Amino acid sequence: MSLSVTDLACARGPAQILAGVTFSVAAGQALILRGPNGAGKTTLLRTLAGLTPPLAGTIEADPDAIAYAAHADGLKSALTVEENLAFWASVFGTHDPAPAIEAFNLAPLLHRRAGEMSAGQKRRLSLARLLVTGRPVWCLDEPTVSLDVENVARFAAAVKAHLAGGGSAVIATHIDLGLPEAATLDISRFVAKQIRADDPFADSFAEGAA
Amino acid sequence: MSSLWEYANPRKFMATSAFLLPWTAGIAAVCLVTGLVWGFFFTPDDFRQGSTVKIIYVHVPAAIMAINAWFMMLVTSIIWVIRRHHVSVLAAKAAAPVGMVFTLIALATGALWGQPMWGTWWEWDPRLTSFLILFLFYLGYMALWEAIENPDSAADLTSVLCLVGSVFAVISRYALLFWNQGLHQGATLSLDREQNISNVYWYPLVITLAGFGFLFIALVLYRTRTEIRARRLKALIAQERMA
Amino acid sequence: MIGLLKRDLTLAIRAGGGFGLSLAFFLIFTTLVPFGVGPQTQILAEIAPGILWLGALLACLLSLDRIFQLDWEDGTLDLVATSPVPLEGLAAMKALAHWITTGLPLVAAAPVLGLLLNLPGPAYPWLMASLALGTPALSAIGTFGAALTVGIKRGGLLLSLLVLPLYIPTLIFGALCVARAATGQDATTPLVLVAGITAGALALLPFAAAAALRVNLR
Amino acid sequence: MMPDLGTYSVPVLSSYAVSLGLLVAVVVASIWKARRVRARLEEVESRRGRAT
């Protein structure tokens, strides 16, 4: 499953953040998004995920193909690891959580409540959700936050397995994930911060001359 | 080809409203002064209600405009939802406090009129109560506008609230009739007005009604201009922050 | 979608889920009434239908801001919005979960509290029927209000201000149904009207709630 | 000049007073807000005019 984006303009609230974003990710490929803080990586990913409607341009991908992972883990601290995964499995249609548990080594934690785990462990559980979704295009926002070296490697292995299975991924990150074959896109060249073009208050409506 | 939707452009609206504002305000002032002076000084007392009948010249127009104001907000909110015209939803925002003040006038004068007629300041009569509920709707609508930072989100959410609220306002109206039969007299203004009200009261009432109507239009135009400027100000500040 | 419901119910039962808080509130509210109006049993019997309905309504209101707030804060709402579950379905499930954890216990507890207020005998079946048919509307309306205010910090008070006027028709018909039954009148009409409001609210408000959620997630 | 309002002079007069008071209040509030917003907008617009 491929993802192809043409001339995309993204907004956050009243502000247009990015314009002219064009890239494509074929099946089996990964794209690393780079850019300084506040450049608009999160905004781009939220637009790809279908949460924020784009101002302009097209996203060629089935919206039901995209699995989105945000900064926030989206875990329920009162539920165990197993219950959290079972919940997402039922939301996305029944998929076997076993590969996800395996990939992120969650078996020892299975009956622990999410609220009792460390930030890194929570992150692993949150990433395991991606495997449970069964969706081919991953859009990930800083997936390695609070992961140690060993688990970053686990994550990279999971991404590689996903790509090898015909999936694709768009990953915003600052660190080197160890995915040498992945393309890199610096989004700072698409940054076009201004008042969004569909805002009729953006250009001056001089009353008389005032 | 000129179309009504052109006025949804802020620039066009500012130009048109600048032209209309003095006229509507002028007509409103003339009608209000004429109608109220006529009504207060030059109408006879009612044989049954005595001089309290004079309250009609503020009570009835305020009540009618309170409902019309909400109806106007409903229409402009729907226009925003369907056609995304910013001026439309800003007009709804501008109308809310005016409608709320009209509702308050209707409530206060209703209570003052009810005291000598019914012997109580407040009667849980269906009509009075529906205005109290309308007042609560106005309050909620305005509070929601104030609470949301992003102007477009606020416009969307208040429009949804206005739509849902309108449906519930109508249901409440019927629920209240079911709940209490009420003391309030029948509608003052209806097509068979001859049966309700005689000409001596009718003419000044129509003039004050026109006065309240034009006052509403003038205030909404004026306040919409303010809202457009405030919205522009917000856009500029956002722009400066990004630069 | 059943998964959503199951999860919400599990969370409500687990520690800190707030299950039973509404019920406790209902109990305390009803217990306080005689201290306010005096212990005369006739007076209590007369106002019992209204007090019981009002207590149920306020108990519902109390837990509304939790409906979406927690999912919003921990990011679950974003993730569910990008899942195959439509937001309309999410809103409907949230309303259902709220009703099961709040409305249903209130229906069960109401007859006991009716005894405390000396509610006349014939009114009990009507009290339970009107609450059972009416509280789903309270949950659906409340879910809509919660969806409107989910992005607002400390939106609880605003939520009450928005939702309470919308509760008026349900309250009028519900309390009227019980009051008529208590005085031996025919209570069918108000009961049918309560059911009608509930049917309408359940059919339409999930769409309004989903629209509000979509705006808030942008 | 003043009409004889009889026993009902208090409710009638206070009705008019309350109504006119509220109308004046909403007009004054509108004008006050309009002035404030306009002044702030002009300040920002002129700042922008200098910048460009």
Side-chain angles (χ1 to χ4, degrees):
Chain A
M1 183 60 94
S2 65
L3 169 70
S4 162
V5 168
T6 323
D7 263 339
L8 194 69
C10 311
R12 186 178 58 226
Q16 173 182 316
I17 305 290
L18 299 166
V21 180
T22 303
F23 64 82
S24 72
V25 189
Q29 274 189 348
L31 180 73
I32 309 288
L33 295 180
R34 287 202 195 278
N37 287 334
K41 298 187 291 292
T42 300
T43 306
L44 175 59
L45 287 167
R46 284 183 74 84
T47 309
L48 292 178
L51 287 168
T52 311
L55 288 182
T58 50
I59 304 170
E60 276 168 60
D62 186 357
D64 284 342
I66 292 172
Y68 171 63
H71 280 276
D73 287 323
L75 303 174
K76 286 292 159 197
S77 50
L79 297 183
T80 65
V81 169
E82 194 176 25
E83 285 166 332
N84 269 302
L85 283 177
F87 164 65
W88 288 111
S90 78
V91 164
F92 281 91
T94 52
H95 290 278
D96 182 17
I101 294 167
E102 162 86 37
F104 289 94
N105 192 27
L106 291 170
L109 301 169
L110 219 45
H111 299 291
R112 185 96 69 90
R113 286 199 183 179
E116 298 160 355
M117 304 201 300
S118 74
Q121 287 170 326
K122 279 187 195 162
R123 197 73 217 169
R124 274 153 64 195
L125 173 54
S126 171
L127 292 170
R129 186 186 63 89
L130 290 168
L131 290 166
V132 173
T133 65
R135 289 190 161 181
V137 182
W138 288 0
C139 290
L140 314 181
D141 198 351
E142 301 288 355
T144 54
V145 169
S146 48
L147 288 185
D148 57 17
V149 182
E150 183 193 357
N151 284 303
V152 169
R154 269 205 191 99
F155 168 69
V159 173
K160 275 182 191 148
H162 177 66
L163 301 179
S168 50
V170 179
I171 305 169
T173 183
H174 289 289
I175 65 158
D176 183 20
L177 290 174
L179 296 167
E181 64 281 7
T184 301
L185 182 71
D186 186 352
I187 66 158
S188 42
R189 64 193 170 97
F190 300 120
V191 171
K193 289 196 180 174
Q194 58 183 54
I195 294 297
R196 46 196 285 179
D198 63 344
D199 190 329
F201 304 91
D203 45 63
S204 174
F205 46 88
E207 316 147 26
Chain B
M1 182 69 193
S2 154
S3 118
L4 182 65
W5 302 117
E6 275 181 25
Y7 296 98
N9 172 296
R11 190 194 305 247
K12 179 92 183 171
F13 178 87
M14 289 309 262
T16 315
S17 61
F19 170 76
L20 286 177
L21 193 54
W23 288 98
T24 50
I27 296 173
V30 170
C31 286
L32 277 176
V33 170
T34 315
L36 290 177
V37 167
W38 185 347
F40 188 78
F41 292 104
F42 304 111
T43 54
D45 289 353
D46 186 77
F47 72 93
R48 207 160 37 86
Q49 308 202 17
S51 62
T52 58
V53 74
K54 292 181 194 300
I55 299 178
I56 207 174
Y57 306 109
V58 282
H59 178 72
V60 170
I64 289 177
M65 286 317 295
I67 294 172
N68 282 352
W70 183 271
F71 187 69
M72 172 238 148
M73 283 160 58
L74 173 64
V75 172
T76 49
S77 295
I78 292 175
I79 292 174
W80 159 254
V81 170
I82 296 174
R83 300 202 50 150
R84 315 293 293 171
H85 288 310
H86 287 77
V87 173
S88 179
V89 78
L90 290 180
K93 184 186 182 189
V98 184
M100 194 188 74
V101 165
F102 285 168
T103 315
L104 211 54
I105 291 176
L107 281 172
T109 55
L112 286 165
W113 199 349
Q115 208 281 325
M117 288 299 109
W118 303 335
T120 168
W121 289 104
W122 182 258
E123 178 62 40
W124 287 94
D125 160 90
R127 285 216 177 185
L128 247 61
T129 313
S130 22
F131 274 89
L132 189 61
I133 296 174
L134 186 63
F135 181 71
L136 295 178
F137 276 135
Y138 275 120
L139 270 187
Y141 178 86
M142 286 160 61
L144 190 61
W145 262 110
E146 291 309 311
I148 302 166
E149 188 73 17
N150 180 352
D152 280 5
S153 296
D156 282 325
L157 295 172
T158 51
S159 297
V160 174
L161 177 69
C162 185
L163 251 77
V164 173
S166 302
V167 174
F168 275 87
V170 173
I171 300 176
S172 301
R173 180 89 187 86
Y174 286 101
L176 289 171
L177 288 175
F178 202 87
W179 170 70
N180 188 349
Q181 293 306 322
L183 299 167
H184 200 287
Q185 65 196 68
T188 309
L189 295 179
S190 60
L191 289 175
D192 55 343
R193 66 176 175 87
E194 307 302 332
Q195 311 200 335
N196 286 318
I197 184 167
S198 60
N199 282 344
V200 257
Y201 304 118
W202 171 256
Y203 292 127
L205 182 57
V206 168
I207 294 173
T208 43
L209 184 57
F212 269 79
F214 275 101
L215 177 67
F216 176 70
I217 296 172
L219 276 173
V220 168
L221 286 175
Y222 186 60
R223 295 181 63 94
T224 309
R225 289 168 65 81
T226 305
E227 292 300 339
I228 288 175
R229 290 203 183 99
R231 181 69 177 72
R232 163 90 177 138
L233 185 64
K234 235 177 189 170
L236 289 180
I237 289 172
Q239 216 159 23
E240 280 184 353
R241 232 178 256 152
M242 278 183 282
Chain C
M1 289 214 273
I2 297 303
L4 276 167
L5 181 63
K6 237 176 78 185
R7 183 204 63 157
D8 275 4
L9 295 181
T10 318
L11 285 174
I13 295 165
R14 295 271 162 92
F19 185 77
L21 268 182
S22 304
L23 199 56
F25 175 84
F26 189 31
L27 176 71
I28 290 174
F29 177 83
T30 320
T31 318
L32 285 181
V33 169
F35 300 128
V37 301
Q40 295 90 342
T41 43
Q42 302 114 292
I43 295 178
L44 287 177
E46 205 172 304
I47 62 169
I51 295 299
L52 289 171
W53 251 94
L54 199 58
L57 185 146
L58 292 177
C60 260
L61 190 72
L62 202 65
S63 49
L64 289 181
D65 60 340
R66 299 176 66 96
I67 292 185
F68 290 115
Q69 201 63 42
L70 299 175
D71 278 358
W72 164 269
E73 278 163 10
D74 66 18
T76 310
L77 209 51
D78 280 346
L79 301 178
V80 174
T82 59
S83 81
V85 177
L87 284 175
E88 287 80 5
L90 171 72
M93 284 303 129
K94 285 284 182 183
L96 182 59
H98 181 261
W99 181 70
I100 292 176
T101 54
T102 312
L104 204 54
L106 295 181
V107 176
V112 182
L113 299 176
L115 288 174
L116 283 181
L117 294 180
N118 197 31
L119 184 72
Y124 285 89
W126 296 96
L127 173 67
M128 291 190 75
S130 66
L131 279 174
L133 288 172
T135 44
L138 301 184
S139 292
I141 296 166
T143 307
F144 166 66
L148 275 182
T149 54
V150 70
I152 301 168
K153 281 192 191 72
R154 288 186 296 281
L157 203 58
L158 179 63
L159 175 60
S160 314
L161 178 61
L162 298 183
V163 161
L164 279 175
L166 303 178
Y167 275 176
I168 291 171
T170 317
L171 175 64
I172 287 178
F173 290 132
L176 196 62
C177 173
V178 186
R180 282 194 173 186
T183 51
Q185 289 167 278
D186 180 34
T188 334
T189 317
L191 186 68
V192 170
L193 290 170
V194 165
I197 291 173
T198 300
L202 291 181
L204 296 176
L205 282 177
F207 294 94
L213 280 179
R214 238 169 242 125
V215 172
N216 275 321
L217 285 170
R218 266 200 314 241
Chain D
M1 185 62 217
M2 192 70 190
D4 179 24
L5 296 170
T7 43
Y8 301 131
S9 62
V10 173
V12 174
L13 287 176
S14 44
S15 286
Y16 275 75
V18 166
S19 305
L20 293 178
L22 281 169
L23 288 182
V24 168
V26 72
V27 169
V28 168
S30 302
I31 293 174
W32 187 69
K33 191 183 174 193
R35 289 223 174 122
R36 205 177 37 140
V37 168
R38 187 165 193 161
R40 281 189 61 200
L41 181 61
E42 266 159 21
E43 179 201 322
V44 176
E45 292 272 20
S46 70
R47 202 191 311 159
R48 246 166 64 88
R50 275 201 305 277
T52 46

